[in-house]
Amino acid sequence: MTTKGPLSQDLYSELGTIYQHLEKELTLVNPGCNRCGTCCNFTAFDHILYASNIEVDFIVRNVKVPDFNVSDNVCPFLKENQCSIRGFRTLGCRVFYCNPQYKEVLPALYEKYYRLIKDLSRKYNTQWEYLPFLDRLAEAKKKANTGC
Ligand code: SF4
Ligand code: SF4
């Protein structure tokens, strides 16, 4: 279920604020990233990105989702090895760093912000789902195209 109207605007505004707080914390941690984009090719990185439904809806509301095949296992927002939607990317995108020195710090940050986003979902009485990102994105794109 996706909330609509002013209520949903507040929800997505609060989600944006949560992301801003996370970015501030990440700046302090500074795990380092050369933005090579490898981790957005999930097969290359042997990685599954999960995301909540409200995070995927936040993306779909703000950017056009390119046509893509889930089976390619590459994020459709990866353009010339760069994320083309940095302002809207998910918690999992923001907290993932390949630097092994941060393997303890980053999961704690992930957990903290996962809970904040889940609390937000509860606050606005929306359905909560946490699914593989590409599956959820394909579903959301289909719904946006069909209007249902
Ligand atoms: S949204 Fe951006 S950061 Fe996240 S997987 Fe896609 S390209 Fe990578
Ligand atoms: S986290 Fe690592 S693999 Fe991902 S973009 Fe940054 S340097 Fe590349």
Side-chain angles (χ1 to χ4, degrees), residues 29-65:
V29 174
N30 193 19
C33 169
N34 64 17
R35 298 193 184 179
C36 66
T38 310
C39 55
C40 307
N41 180 329
F42 306 125
T43 298
F45 222 79
D46 193 21
H47 174 67
I48 301 174
L49 174 66
Y50 277 74
S52 63
N53 51 323
I54 62 173
E55 290 175 280
V56 174
D57 290 346
F58 183 58
I59 291 173
V60 172
R61 281 164 173 264
N62 286 289
V63 301
K64 184 173 178 353
V65 182

Side-chain angles (χ1 to χ4, degrees), residues 112-129:
K112 174 181 172 181
Y113 283 89
Y114 173 90
R115 286 179 187 281
L116 286 172
I117 295 170
K118 193 168 183 182
D119 286 348
L120 188 62
S121 178
R122 267 199 213 105
K123 176 179 172 183
Y124 286 94
N125 197 27
T126 60
Q127 181 179 330
W128 175 257
E129 293 172 340

Side-chain angles (χ1 to χ4, degrees), residues 75-146:
C75 181
F77 300 115
L78 186 65
K79 303 287 176 210
E80 298 176 355
N81 293 332
Q82 300 287 310
C83 176
S84 58
I85 59 156
R86 281 188 68 77
F88 303 106
R89 71 200 196 288
T90 71
L91 167 64
C93 304
R94 291 167 196 265
V95 172
F96 184 86
Y97 288 84
C98 62
N99 188 335
Q101 290 179 341
Y102 293 86
K103 274 194 170 152
E104 288 179 14
V105 175
L106 294 173
L109 259 187
Y110 184 90
E111 189 63 26
K112 174 181 172 181
Y113 283 89
Y114 173 90
R115 286 179 187 281
L116 286 172
I117 295 170
K118 193 168 183 182
D119 286 348
L120 188 62
S121 178
R122 267 199 213 105
K123 176 179 172 183
Y124 286 94
N125 197 27
T126 60
Q127 181 179 330
W128 175 257
E129 293 172 340
Y130 209 73
L131 298 167
F133 175 64
L134 291 184
D135 292 340
R136 180 73 206 191
L137 186 65
E139 190 187 314
K141 179 175 167 62
K142 194 172 160 192
K143 274 187 193 162
N145 288 345
T146 57

